[in-house]
Amino acid sequence: MSPSISRLSRNSGAVGTTLTIYGSNFGKSPDAGQVSFHGIGAGAVLEWSDDRITVRVPPEAVTGDVTVSSSGRTSPGKPFTVIILPRVLSVSPGGGSPGTQVTITGSGFGAEQRKGSVWLGTAYGTVVSWSDDRIVATLAAQSRSGVVRVQQRGNWSRPVSFPVDAATIASVWPPSGKPETEVTIRGVRFGDSQGQGRVWLGTVPAIVQRWSDTEIVARVAPGAMTGKVRVLAGATWSNPVSFTVETLHIASTTPAAPEPSGTVTIAGSGFGSERGSGSLLLGGVEARVERWSDTEIVAAVPPDARKGVARVRQDGVWSNALRFSPRTTGSDGVTLAPDTVNLVVGEVRTLQATGADGQPATGLTWTSSDSAVVSLSSAYPPELTALSPGHVTITAGSATADVTVYADALPLGTVIWSNPGNGSGVLSITPAVPSASGVADVFAFQGDGTVQAITSDGLTSWSANVGYPYAMVPDFQGGLVVNDGSIRKLDGLTGQAYPAYTPDD
């Protein structure tokens, strides 16, 4: 009887794929039989019985019918599609640096790229040109030593080794540290000099001390958080290495408005397991510490503490500043903005004092805790001039501002200023659209339904009560469009509302 194929285990496959043929009358062995792929005999027979045959698709196979021959008789064919796998024959150059154009020759790439892709090193390359036997692609900036592979129709070619010449970090010591900690990064291909190179330690650029092709020494910048170490050299980034920043960070103060001579609990991290030389400033006054741990400080509220910020100092490093508003501040309700400022020697700026009504406060006495670091002019409000590196508290009425002066440029990642808002809590901030008819650089939306127009100097130009609208968006004229059931505009210079439009729906 003639052999007969009932079904195939699969209807398509690449060269080398295993295929099982089910049917009858195949014979007990392949001695008198053969499996053919459109006339091309299968070379490797893995299993043969009267009703089942398993073979591998031969290298010369083409799309067409699969047939079984036995004892001089041939079965009717079953269609089978041979998938042509991409095949890489050569890669030129055999390695390179990010940005290098690489030419890949071979076969089975497809006449057009369509959904095809190229893997160069450890990232996808950017395709410049594509044909069935030749691809040109650019090595990605983030790619490292790896392999070359071509993908087409969901199938990958075999990998070919491909080295990438890029900055590579081998070690980082120490693997963690506080801001100002000196860190040594060892590796290769950093470049003989820094040039335009940069180093990130955590989440911000570090302060580079020394740079060579195999070693970089840098300090963790103020404001850095836990993240990665990466080196930018020759316009390409190195491999990332994890780095933990032991942040001196205040998370909260409890209670929010402590009573006179009561206690306040400062929660956070990185304070140090022991106090040592650590200190706590509350509204510009050093507090008497009762308990100290790495995550919590309990201190007595100084009787003369004023409205301002809470800051912790440990090992010569300052924490972030967090709002501090004790109930010991008298009745003038004064607020200073900004209340945290970082300056460099020679810089001059002013602060803004406002009363409880949001209007400029007059008749206040202004003082600097150290006039050798920051001096005050005789004008009102006075100009602050940074004279020498250090830290001072500026006092006006019942409010204070925390000012730090650096010898030269502020370290990357340093907060320039912080505006306290109106005390109800800042819910969100929206950039203002630059315009000659407006004064704000950002709009800060407060917890009590007020919006404040904040300038690039950290000053509050105007505020307006808008309640809790459905939406507020910049109007491209320096002001805001407010939708609170009616649609109205706030003037960019004054914050005054224009006549409203109330839609029917």
Side-chain angles (χ1 to χ4, degrees):
M1 296 181 66
S2 297
S4 175
I5 300 174
S6 59
R7 65 183 179 89
L8 304 178
S9 62
R10 59 198 305 160
N11 296 320
S12 64
V15 170
T17 299
T18 299
L19 173 67
T20 299
I21 305 165
Y22 298 92
S24 59
N25 303 320
F26 297 153
K28 295 183 178 180
S29 73
D31 295 340
Q34 185 181 43
V35 175
S36 297
F37 289 81
H38 198 61
I40 305 298
V45 177
L46 304 179
E47 178 187 6
W48 191 295
S49 67
D50 193 54
D51 60 359
R52 186 169 68 182
I53 301 170
T54 301
V55 297
R56 292 192 189 280
V57 179
E60 301 83 4
V62 294
T63 296
D65 284 345
V66 172
T67 59
V68 176
S69 299
S70 180
S71 301
R73 297 179 179 181
T74 301
S75 70
K78 288 287 185 180
F80 184 83
T81 301
V82 176
I83 298 173
I84 306 300
L85 290 177
R87 185 183 182 193
V88 175
L89 298 177
S90 67
V91 179
S92 180
S97 57
T100 301
Q101 279 199 353
V102 180
T103 300
I104 305 164
T105 57
S107 61
F109 301 154
E112 297 179 357
Q113 179 181 0
R114 297 185 184 274
K115 295 184 179 181
S117 58
V118 179
W119 187 263
L120 295 176
T122 58
Y124 286 103
T126 302
V127 174
V128 178
S129 64
W130 186 295
S131 68
D132 191 56
D133 59 1
R134 185 175 183 270
I135 298 171
V136 178
T138 302
L139 189 61
Q142 70 273 23
S143 186
R144 298 294 171 264
S145 294
V147 298
V148 173
R149 300 186 75 182
V150 176
Q151 182 271 136
Q152 185 61 278
R153 297 177 294 273
N155 299 294
W156 286 96
S157 68
R158 294 182 180 275
V160 176
S161 179
F162 189 84
V164 176
D165 298 325
T168 302
I169 297 175
S171 67
V172 176
W173 187 260
S176 63
K178 297 178 180 178
E180 302 298 335
T181 298
E182 197 168 86
V183 178
T184 299
I185 305 163
R186 292 189 173 93
V188 293
R189 292 185 288 275
F190 297 152
D192 294 331
S193 61
Q194 180 177 359
Q196 298 299 313
R198 298 175 74 182
V199 177
W200 281 62
L201 287 174
T203 56
V204 299
I207 305 164
V208 174
Q209 306 297 299
R210 298 190 299 276
W211 187 296
S212 72
D213 192 52
T214 59
E215 183 178 282
I216 298 171
V217 177
R219 288 188 288 116
V220 181
M225 303 292 284
T226 294
K228 302 291 185 181
V229 179
R230 300 191 75 176
V231 175
L232 176 65
T236 61
W237 286 101
S238 72
N239 57 308
V241 176
S242 295
F243 186 80
T244 301
V245 179
E246 299 166 2
T247 311
L248 188 60
H249 180 76
I250 298 177
S252 65
T253 62
T254 307
E259 297 290 340
S261 301
T263 60
V264 63
T265 299
I266 310 296
S269 60
F271 302 151
S273 57
E274 297 181 357
R275 178 181 178 182
S277 61
S279 60
L280 169 65
L281 285 186
L282 296 175
V285 180
E286 185 167 347
R288 178 173 57 84
V289 174
E290 298 183 356
R291 293 200 306 273
W292 187 292
S293 73
D294 192 56
T295 59
E296 185 178 274
I297 300 170
V298 178
V301 178
D304 54 345
R306 299 169 183 263
K307 184 190 301 182
V309 298
R311 293 190 80 177
V312 175
R313 182 180 174 91
Q314 184 63 279
D315 296 330
V317 177
W318 286 100
S319 73
N320 61 310
L322 201 64
R323 210 74 58 228
F324 178 73
S325 300
R327 296 183 186 275
T328 59
T329 57
S331 58
D332 63 6
V334 171
T335 297
L336 285 182
D339 62 357
T340 306
V341 183
N342 288 299
L343 305 172
V344 297
V345 171
E347 193 171 355
V348 177
R349 68 159 302 145
T350 59
L351 301 180
Q352 179 184 51
T354 55
D357 58 359
Q359 299 302 310
T362 59
L364 301 176
T365 299
W366 292 68
T367 60
S368 169
S369 63
D370 190 342
S371 58
V373 175
V374 175
S375 66
L376 302 178
S377 72
S378 58
Y380 193 92
E383 287 186 335
L384 284 64
T385 302
L387 301 177
S388 62
H391 177 266
V392 302
T393 298
I394 303 298
T395 302
S398 62
T400 62
D402 189 270
V403 181
T404 303
V405 179
Y406 291 80
D408 44 31
L410 297 179
L412 290 171
T414 302
V415 174
I416 298 174
W417 52 259
S418 175
N419 186 302
N422 66 3
S424 63
V426 178
L427 301 181
S428 63
I429 296 175
T430 296
V433 178
S435 171
S437 57
V439 292
D441 285 274
V442 295
F443 295 112
F445 305 113
Q446 313 292 313
D448 64 355
T450 299
V451 58
Q452 290 185 327
I454 311 295
T455 71
S456 60
D457 289 331
L459 306 179
T460 303
S461 291
W462 52 259
S463 63
N465 193 323
V466 292
Y468 301 95
Y470 303 115
M472 286 187 287
V473 294
D475 66 359
F476 289 85
Q477 295 176 330
L480 279 174
V481 174
V482 179
N483 176 8
D484 56 2
S486 63
I487 299 174
R488 54 200 175 97
K489 291 179 63 175
L490 302 183
D491 181 76
L493 288 175
T494 66
Q496 294 297 310
Y498 284 55
Y501 163 72
T502 303
D504 292 334
D505 183 3

